[in-house]
Amino acid sequence: MDSPSFDLPHVKRVLEAALLTAGEPLPVPELKKLFDESLSNDMLRNVLTELASDWDERGVELVNVASGWRFRARPEYQQFLERLSARKPPRYSRAVLETMAIIAYKQPVTRGDIEDIRGVMVSSGIIKALEARGWIDVIGHREVPGRPELFATTRQFLDDLNLRSLTELPPLEDLGQLVETQALGTPVDEGATPEEDTVETAAAAPQDATAGAGPTVN
């Protein structure tokens, strides 16, 4: 910002226009392409932080998520915006939330790991639906007989929950509420069976389900 050619209001307006019209979060390296000036990463982040402050007290906020920066409607106004959409807000079955919680807090895990913790079979429909939602992905195979797939969360999962890294995940018992209030899109409850919906909630899973959580994402 010490450069005499640096026009802070202009940079803010350019960033604002780009971020308001972008269809997805924009990382700092991508935003730097907007300018001819040589702006450092730290300088650009400082401007983005100032721009976020400019939008305080408004219905829309600028947030930093795993994939970059983006504007979004504040969660407290989502209930009003839903009235303009024919789409119903997402509702997640207990089986889906349990499966998602185990993957998020104990990744990487196999389907067998999930079944050991939940105590019931994991529906293929749940795994496929979470993959289709973009929240989980196969990151490898465990080197044991059968080489089962290892599942972990994705950047899309963090983006949808407005998180920058797994270290920002809430306590296990609050994950379901976060998913319901933050994540938008098609409900991920396909494949749940009556048996799966009668088990205890994810918050009642063994406490060691939180072990192994870390900042690494795909």
Side-chain angles (χ1 to χ4, degrees):
M1 297 184 187
D2 294 333
S3 170
S5 65
F6 185 84
D7 185 342
L8 177 59
H10 173 70
V11 171
K12 278 187 178 181
R13 287 193 294 269
V14 172
L15 289 171
E16 187 176 63
L19 290 164
L20 283 171
T21 56
E24 57 188 19
L26 297 177
V28 167
E30 193 70 14
L31 291 170
K32 288 179 69 173
K33 297 178 182 179
L34 295 168
F35 307 101
D36 294 330
E37 302 98 324
S38 178
L39 302 180
S40 68
N41 289 347
D42 288 342
M43 185 182 297
L44 194 51
R45 290 191 184 97
N46 287 337
V47 178
L48 287 164
T49 299
E50 289 187 28
L51 180 59
S53 297
D54 293 345
W55 282 76
D56 284 347
E57 309 299 328
R58 299 190 186 184
V60 175
E61 63 181 345
L62 177 60
V63 295
N64 186 14
V65 296
S67 296
W69 292 77
R70 72 175 177 192
F71 278 101
R72 65 149 190 175
R74 294 183 185 273
E76 58 265 35
Y77 301 120
Q78 189 58 44
Q79 59 177 311
F80 303 103
L81 299 180
E82 288 168 358
R83 298 173 184 176
L84 299 177
S85 174
R87 226 175 24 174
K88 293 183 178 180
R91 291 293 180 265
Y92 302 91
S93 72
R94 181 178 299 170
V96 168
L97 290 177
E98 288 178 354
T99 301
M100 190 68 251
I102 292 168
I103 296 173
Y105 288 94
K106 202 173 173 58
Q107 60 186 301
V109 294
T110 66
R111 184 168 171 174
D113 295 330
I114 300 169
E115 292 175 344
D116 286 343
I117 293 173
R118 291 194 59 223
V120 295
M121 295 285 290
V122 175
S123 165
S124 296
I126 290 179
I127 297 296
K128 290 178 180 178
L130 289 172
E131 288 178 318
R133 183 68 173 82
W135 281 359
I136 67 171
D137 202 358
V138 176
I139 62 168
H141 296 80
R142 182 169 292 167
E143 294 304 324
V144 296
R147 301 185 75 246
E149 295 176 328
L150 287 167
F151 296 101
T153 55
T154 64
R155 286 190 180 275
Q156 183 67 52
F157 171 73
L158 294 175
D159 288 347
D160 285 352
L161 269 61
N162 289 295
L163 304 174
R164 287 173 293 180
S165 72
L166 292 172
T167 59
E168 295 183 350
L169 279 170
L172 182 59
E173 60 271 17
D174 296 337
L175 180 63
Q177 182 179 359
L178 177 65
V179 169
E180 295 286 0
T181 58
Q182 299 277 52
L184 304 177
T186 304
V188 186
D189 58 2
E190 293 87 344
T193 65
E195 177 188 11
E196 288 176 318
D197 283 330
T198 60
V199 297
E200 296 300 316
T201 62
Q207 290 302 307
D208 67 353
T210 60
T216 303
V217 294
N218 292 339

